Amino acid sequence: MSGTRSGFVGRLKKVVPEAHWTYCMIHREAWVLTHLFQLRDEVLLFLTEVYSPLKNHLSDIKWLAPLTYLPDIFDHLNSLNKSLQGKKKNTHPDSMQSLFSEVSVFLLEEILVQVPALDLVHRCRLVSSLWRDVVDSASLWKRKCEREGLRPRDPASSPADWRIFYFLSQWRRNLLRNPRAEEGFNNWILCSNGGDKWKIEPIDLQHALPDETVQKYFVTSYSTCMKSQIIDLRKEGYSDHILNEIQPDIVCSDWYAPRWDCGSKYEVCIQLLSAKQKVIQQFKPEPVIFPQWNDMEWKQMTHVFSGYGRGARFVKFSHGGSDTQFWAGWYGIRVTNSSVVVEAERRMRQ
């Protein structure tokens, strides 16, 4: 099309010899932006050596973020530009409208992927049918996950719904309050408070948990001590659709340990309840009995509620125990760092 002999440029120069032409601006922009991003470390080093204020841009994440996708935009535009060139190319208005619709969708997704997720769902989706389709697309949510470092546990598998995966990943947290005794007994219901009652003690550094940030634990006495929390999943942000249709795994964990010089008993009961607090599923293993003169090591209990059906609303977490030798004081089982987490994806079953 732009050949210097038989193309437009060649024919133009026959009429206007002094005419000049330049290479396709779109293609040139795509090429420059792509190589700038690929060589950004080298360019930053050069700009630093010559004391250029432009070096600040190449160390600014907010400035670099658009640079990652601008080459794709120009490359896409360049492809569309080429598709309009050559003999017998159809430039009918309907064809042009289709091409520019494709461009607008591509550019719109590039913009929307940077918008906060809740604004996408509650505002952007209501703008038009085009915006709704882009917001509902799997590609947009997959890209948001990639941008924010939210990746499936198994890189070889893809979530069934990237939007659900995104929100569940963002919401993933421990739903139990005060699991490490950092706020006394706040948020816990003391169901049984026998013997010399519950007490809070500091972690023995010689027998610390794998997570060394845990500094305190709850300790039981010579008669049964049990405490519990009830988690309202709806109030924690999990809708009926998520709980009834998606049914994400609910992973429960607890850490417990005996004293070395006294036997003790550990008990746990975790229930998944309906809105009327009827039991849907329950985990209540046999009590764990520790003998006197044991290794005093911390143990972890883990249970996963999965495929629990419709109607889940609450999780009731109860644990505790006692010593087995009826010693005055606090020689019973110790518990801390408990957790209830709604996972973003199903765990693999053994």
Side-chain angles (χ1 to χ4, degrees), residues 43-63:
V43 174
L44 176 59
L45 180 61
F46 170 76
L47 294 176
T48 302
E49 291 177 348
V50 298
Y51 302 100
S52 171
L54 294 176
K55 65 182 177 60
N56 296 327
H57 292 309
L58 290 175
S59 56
D60 183 355
I61 294 177
K62 290 185 178 180
W63 190 88

Side-chain angles (χ1 to χ4, degrees), residues 247-318:
Q247 295 179 29
D249 284 357
I250 301 174
V251 181
C252 308
S253 174
D254 199 18
W255 287 87
Y256 59 97
R259 281 181 59 104
W260 70 277
D261 56 353
C262 183
S264 59
K265 178 174 66 173
Y266 168 73
E267 299 179 76
V268 64
C269 178
I270 311 173
Q271 297 172 318
L272 192 59
L273 308 174
S274 68
K276 295 183 178 180
Q277 300 205 16
K278 291 184 178 181
V279 178
I280 296 174
Q281 285 188 16
Q282 176 174 279
F283 173 69
K284 188 177 182 181
E286 291 295 318
V288 179
I289 307 297
F290 291 93
Q292 189 179 22
W293 316 120
N294 57 76
D295 61 10
M296 201 177 169
E297 292 300 317
W298 286 94
K299 316 290 183 184
Q300 184 181 25
M301 176 285 303
T302 302
H303 178 72
V304 181
F305 289 111
S306 182
Y308 37 80
R310 301 172 63 86
R313 172 68 182 271
F314 299 98
V315 177
K316 183 176 182 180
F317 186 102
S318 306

